[in-house]
Amino acid sequence: ETKSLENTQAWFPAHLSPDGSKVAFVSDKKISIFDSKTEVIKDYSVNLQFYPQGYAGQDRGSTPPVSWLKDSKDLVFTNKNPGTFIGTYINTNFYLLNLDTSSVTELTNSNTPKVLPLAFGDRLFFKKFTEINYRAGQEPYTFKYHLSYLDFNNPLTERDILEDDQETGISAIVPTPDKNKLLYTRASRLGIPQTVSETNLLDINSGAKETLPMGFSIILGWLDKETFIYSNLSANTLYSYNLTTKSVKTLLTGIKTR
């Protein structure tokens, strides 16, 4: 029997849990969880009004507001703070939803726009914006990016681990398997001369940064604890890079893309 979500207006693509047993669908009023083992759909009313009615839809698709924890029983979601606009930015905070008890725990309470929550181990990584200088009708805005994280065992305590300015964009935040470092890509924003194009390895504890030799890349995941797989921007070649030996290996070429 096919299950129906006809009463759920999903704003984002479905999110599969780490154990593969559940799928989360996000709308403006609730989070719906489909359990593939029981074939039951359960709704959690969290009043997730991340974007108010009429707000620019382009940002809805670029900022997925949920992230599963590894136990597949907890889910981080993003909610806006009522009435807190800075131009087209919305101040947001993260919350933890437990699927067994339906309890909600506040994880952050800072009055800043935050996006891209990524739960990994005992930590939640995310990107946030500060020092936003909004000038109505004038572009570009000026602001600063931060890569930040918090420990689930010590919520409401954010730690900034990297700062950048509005000239560049930070994306593809991928923790290393030991959780002590972050891979991230960084490039000049559209409309700005492309002077920055890089993939970096950041030590979370010391703040030390190493720029890797592949330039801006599409990070696909980890082959083992020392080796990650990535593709070039045209996505027609796959490579691996070993952090210990600092060696690049071509895995696959001639991939046809549209």
Side-chain angles (χ1 to χ4, degrees):
E1 180 184 1
T2 302
K3 299 297 178 179
S4 173
L5 281 168
E6 61 181 344
N7 294 321
T8 296
Q9 183 179 2
W11 277 9
F12 299 90
H15 296 265
L16 184 66
S17 63
D19 65 4
S21 68
K22 303 180 185 72
V23 181
F25 299 87
V26 180
S27 68
D28 62 338
K29 297 294 184 183
K30 62 187 178 183
I31 296 176
S32 299
I33 305 296
F34 172 66
D35 190 317
S36 63
K37 294 181 179 178
T38 63
E39 298 189 346
V40 170
I41 298 169
K42 183 175 180 179
D43 293 333
Y44 295 83
S45 297
V46 294
N47 197 26
L48 196 151
Q49 294 179 337
F50 183 58
Y51 295 96
Q53 186 177 3
Y55 189 70
Q58 63 205 32
D59 292 323
R60 272 198 323 215
S62 63
T63 311
V66 300
S67 180
W68 285 96
L69 272 66
K70 63 181 179 181
D71 62 5
S72 297
K73 295 180 179 179
D74 296 275
L75 194 70
V76 174
F77 68 91
T78 312
N79 205 338
K80 74 179 182 70
N81 297 331
T84 51
F85 284 85
I86 307 175
T88 58
Y89 294 85
I90 303 177
N91 290 339
T92 52
N93 278 308
F94 298 126
Y95 299 83
L96 184 67
L97 169 67
N98 180 274
L99 302 186
D100 291 336
T101 64
S102 300
S103 62
V104 174
T105 302
E106 186 178 35
L107 296 176
T108 62
N109 59 6
S110 61
N111 202 31
T112 57
K114 290 176 282 292
V115 296
L116 300 177
L118 173 64
F120 196 87
D122 295 327
R123 289 172 170 171
L124 177 71
F125 297 94
F126 54 93
K127 185 168 71 173
K128 73 179 181 182
F129 303 88
T130 62
E131 299 182 35
I132 299 173
N133 180 20
Y134 170 66
R135 296 164 293 175
Q138 300 183 44
E139 292 291 345
Y141 294 22
T142 60
F143 52 83
K144 289 184 178 180
Y145 286 110
H146 298 265
L147 284 183
S148 307
Y149 79 88
L150 60 84
D151 193 309
F152 285 113
N153 298 315
N154 187 26
L156 305 181
T157 303
E158 302 172 23
R159 179 179 175 186
D160 296 339
I161 52 180
L162 182 70
E163 180 182 294
D164 213 333
D165 60 33
Q166 77 278 1
E167 299 297 316
T168 57
I170 298 171
S171 59
I173 307 167
V174 181
T176 56
D178 65 7
K179 310 173 197 174
N180 292 320
K181 296 180 181 179
L182 286 179
L183 280 172
Y184 68 94
T185 54
R186 179 173 175 261
S188 300
R189 294 176 63 209
L190 293 176
I192 296 174
Q194 297 294 302
T195 57
V196 176
S197 180
E198 58 190 30
T199 298
N200 296 309
L201 181 67
L202 178 73
D203 189 300
I204 295 171
N205 299 306
S206 70
K209 184 186 79 170
E210 177 185 357
T211 299
L212 304 181
M214 67 283 300
F216 190 91
S217 64
I218 302 171
I219 303 169
L220 301 177
W222 291 92
L223 192 60
D224 55 47
K225 64 180 182 180
E226 294 288 340
T227 308
F228 67 91
I229 298 175
Y230 67 96
S231 73
N232 55 3
L233 282 180
S234 59
N236 59 14
T237 306
L238 291 183
Y239 304 90
S240 67
Y241 182 79
N242 186 282
L243 297 177
T244 300
T245 63
K246 302 186 183 304
S247 59
V248 176
K249 182 180 179 181
T250 301
L251 301 178
L252 187 63
T253 62
I255 303 171
K256 294 183 178 181
T257 59
R258 295 183 178 181

